[in-house]
Amino acid sequence: MLCLGIESTAHTFGIGIVDEKGNILSNEKDVYKPKVGGIHPKECTEHHLNVANDVLKKSLETAKINLNDIDIISFSQGPGIPGVLRIGAVFSRALALKLKKPLFGVNHCIAHIEIGKLLTHSIDPVTLYVSGGNTQVIAFTEGKYRIFGETQDIGIGNALDKLARELGFEHPGGPKIEEYAKSGNYINFSYVVKGMDLSFSGILTEAKKKIKNHSINDICYSFQETCFAMLTEVTERAVAHTDKNEVLLTGGVAANKRLQEMLSIMCKERGAKFYVVPQEFAGDNGAMIAWTGMLMYKYNPHGMKIYETKINRFWRTDEVDIPWIS
Ligand code: AMP
Ligand code: MG
């Protein structure tokens, strides 16, 4: 049984192919890079439209299969940028109708968790999902992935990218900030945790103002230390509250070694196991959509009706029923 999954929520157009055991046969992608600034929705939509066929071809080649060998089609239905989401939706509908195979719209955030669990063999983690557009602390209780804490404004990745742009670095700026943060002295930043929620946009404004009077190293170091401490605090509280003993880090920002270090210290102190998704599968990718499609298929072999596959730009993690976890 093979599922072909299409990711198309933001910068990445990806197609992955997985089997029912969770073997990943291919995970091809083409990532849109803005010439200036952040993601330009119209340019990004055009990019995905232009690369879709090639990514499909490559994915089938890598998996060493033909299109007719595919049994299930899935795509990222939301949350994401509307025009960009539509490319994946239209492409996958066309494939499903052509091949007469069941079609599944997958929640992008849940796909990040499921691929993480598959690849790290964690079973019931508190997940810290940190990417460009999303920042959520998620755990499974009573049939759903519940959001225990989240950003009230921008995602941490987006905050890093915006600061990076201000410092003159290319997009995406997260890795550059990590490099400069290796040496630096701490300068004071606001620490914005409200209950279990976080806010980064005020700290970002503060950082921009401080650029004039402080070194790049000090800014990058202090920005990371502050924001990552906030993320670690909220994650720790979710662990304490749910009494779970695993933490899973995923999303593009999961690549950051300092964030990994802070979380692993917290986990060690609490006696919890800490897992990080392998980098290839931490950022947006098609394999995670394919694997989640496979999980959905097991509980709904007929797939969704076409009218149920409309994109859902604000689709929340906790709106989705999860029949595959008992
Ligand atoms: P995603 O949206 O999940 O594909 O993740 C993309 C985000 O991850 C961008 O905002 C990047 O700046 C960020 N990112 C990638 N590598 C790193 C890193 N080493 N440290 C911090 N952020 C990173
Ligand atoms: Mg993502």
Side-chain angles (χ1 to χ4, degrees):
M1 200 57 107
L2 295 178
C3 181
L4 178 145
I6 299 174
E7 161 58 27
S8 177
T9 58
H11 45 60
T12 300
F13 187 87
I15 298 187
I17 298 169
V18 304
D19 70 13
E20 73 282 359
K21 295 198 186 87
N23 296 307
I24 297 167
L25 278 64
S26 65
N27 184 43
E28 297 297 330
K29 61 181 94 167
D30 196 315
V31 180
Y32 158 78
K33 284 203 180 61
K35 286 179 210 84
V36 286
I39 296 178
H40 187 301
K42 194 161 164 275
E43 277 179 15
C44 187
T45 304
E46 272 168 24
H47 167 270
H48 288 8
L49 200 54
N50 288 333
V51 302
N53 273 321
D54 280 347
V55 177
L56 174 63
K57 217 174 124 215
K58 265 193 217 147
S59 195
L60 292 169
E61 273 169 21
T62 305
K64 298 191 175 66
I65 58 163
N66 297 314
L67 199 49
N68 290 318
D69 299 325
I70 298 294
D71 302 289
I72 307 157
I73 308 281
S74 61
F75 72 102
S76 49
Q77 196 173 0
I81 304 166
V84 182
L85 282 168
R86 256 174 229 121
I87 302 300
V90 169
F91 198 74
S92 56
R93 279 182 211 128
L95 278 178
L97 290 172
K98 176 180 152 76
L99 300 172
K100 298 193 175 60
K101 299 294 176 186
L103 174 65
F104 295 91
V106 170
N107 180 290
H108 174 91
C109 308
I110 288 173
H112 272 292
I113 304 172
E114 290 301 344
I115 196 77
K117 282 164 58 187
L118 174 74
L119 296 175
T120 64
H121 306 290
S122 56
I123 295 161
D124 183 25
V126 168
T127 301
L128 174 60
Y129 165 38
V130 276
S131 69
N134 296 293
T135 298
Q136 297 180 341
V137 177
I138 307 161
F140 184 84
T141 60
E142 293 174 19
K144 283 181 175 159
Y145 281 113
R146 313 276 169 181
I147 301 172
F148 281 78
E150 64 191 312
T151 179
Q152 293 187 334
D153 39 58
I154 55 176
I156 177 63
N158 191 224
L160 289 164
D161 294 339
K162 281 186 163 140
L163 177 60
R165 221 176 294 151
E166 214 67 28
L167 294 168
F169 307 152
E170 262 181 28
H171 185 90
K176 250 302 183 306
I177 291 193
E178 177 172 26
E179 220 176 289
Y180 276 92
K182 281 184 184 144
S183 65
N185 294 307
Y186 190 75
I187 45 177
N188 205 36
F189 275 107
S190 305
Y191 184 95
V192 195
V193 174
K194 301 173 182 180
M196 287 291 279
D197 287 340
L198 310 120
S199 159
F200 300 107
S201 66
I203 308 174
L204 175 65
T205 307
E206 235 183 310
K208 286 182 189 169
K209 282 186 188 155
K210 286 186 201 279
I211 290 174
K212 272 196 290 239
N213 302 318
H214 297 273
S215 74
I216 295 183
N217 295 87
D218 289 358
I219 298 273
C220 293
Y221 173 74
S222 309
F223 190 81
Q224 272 200 182
E225 289 300 298
T226 307
C227 296
F228 293 172
M230 288 161 49
L231 291 166
T232 306
E233 180 197 325
V234 173
T235 306
E236 174 166 27
R237 240 169 319 122
V239 173
H241 179 73
T242 56
D243 216 12
K244 295 195 191 285
N245 55 17
E246 297 174 320
V247 169
L248 174 67
L249 176 62
T250 187
V253 186
N256 191 289
K257 292 282 181 295
R258 179 58 181 145
L259 179 59
Q260 292 179 12
E261 185 184 28
M262 280 193 195
L263 288 162
S264 82
I265 292 168
M266 179 274 283
C267 285
K268 205 166 167 200
E269 286 175 352
R270 300 201 64 89
K273 283 195 195 120
F274 178 55
Y275 301 93
V276 186
V277 178
Q279 198 162 344
E280 183 190 347
F281 301 96
D284 295 349
N285 64 87
M288 70 182 194
I289 304 299
W291 175 236
T292 311
M294 183 63 83
L295 293 171
M296 292 170 85
Y297 170 78
K298 289 176 189 171
Y299 290 85
N300 176 14
H302 300 298
M304 293 175 159
K305 304 270 189 306
I306 290 294
Y307 67 81
E308 294 173 317
T309 62
K310 261 170 60 178
I311 60 149
N312 194 344
R313 66 182 298 197
F314 297 121
W315 200 12
R316 281 178 65 80
T317 308
D318 51 10
E319 285 169 1
V320 186
D321 288 321
I322 310 292
W324 58 87
I325 303 178
S326 51

